[in-house]
């Protein structure tokens, strides 16, 4: 898993063209949940979403990805949440998220 850890860190460290949209949606993600009232947890959600938008630039970021990633982060560590989000978007819902949704 070490190589995937490096890949994940590289993906969230890069600038994303969707950073502005991601930033707007962070505060809208489960706003009454205690977990997301803490700034460090919102930053974790930001990293997961930025990493995914950089991993799959054909889709980038679409609204509602924040809720999927946000739910995953309640139950698993950050990097695992990123890889599960990747699986959900690219394998389970491949026809749902499209570039036209961005």
């Amino acid at each position: 898993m070490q190589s995937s850890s490096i890949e994940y860190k590289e993906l969230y460290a890069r600038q994303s063209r969707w950073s502005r949209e991601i930033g707007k949606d962070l505060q809208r993600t489960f706003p009454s949940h205690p977990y997301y009232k803490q700034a460090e947890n919102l930053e974790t959600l930001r990293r997961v979403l930025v990493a995914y938008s950089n991993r799959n630039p054909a889709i980038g970021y679409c609204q509602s990805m924040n809720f999927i990633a946000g739910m995953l982060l309640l139950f698993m560590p950050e990097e695992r949440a990123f890889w599960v989000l990747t699986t959900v978007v690219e394998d389970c819902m491949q026809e749902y998220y499209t570039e036209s949704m961005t």
Side-chain angles (χ1 to χ4, degrees):
M1 183 118 142
Q2 187 173 12
S3 65
S4 64
S5 290
I6 293 167
E7 179 183 2
Y8 173 67
K9 290 175 184 172
E10 290 172 354
L11 288 168
Y12 75 68
R14 292 193 314 217
Q15 184 67 18
S16 170
R17 76 177 223 205
W18 293 276
S19 291
R20 184 172 180 204
E21 289 80 11
I22 290 169
K24 287 192 289 185
D25 284 346
L26 289 177
Q27 297 296 325
R28 300 174 188 159
T29 308
F30 305 118
S32 62
H33 196 286
Y35 182 82
Y36 289 107
K37 291 184 186 270
Q38 297 177 9
E40 64 268 14
N41 295 332
L42 287 173
E43 187 55 36
T44 300
L45 177 58
R46 178 190 307 276
R47 285 192 301 267
V48 169
L49 296 171
V50 165
Y52 185 77
S53 72
N54 286 327
R55 173 188 162 79
N56 191 341
I59 295 174
Y61 170 74
C62 301
Q63 286 185 331
S64 83
M65 284 182 180
N66 57 317
F67 289 104
I68 296 171
M71 183 62 72
L72 294 171
L73 286 168
L74 294 175
F75 296 99
M76 61 189 69
E78 177 178 347
E79 186 176 348
R80 184 170 297 155
F82 165 75
W83 289 111
V84 173
L85 176 66
T86 298
T87 299
V88 168
V89 173
E90 295 176 7
D91 297 336
C92 301
M93 302 178 77
Q94 32 182 223
E95 301 300 318
Y96 183 77
Y97 290 105
T98 63
E99 188 173 12
S100 64
M101 292 180 69
T102 58

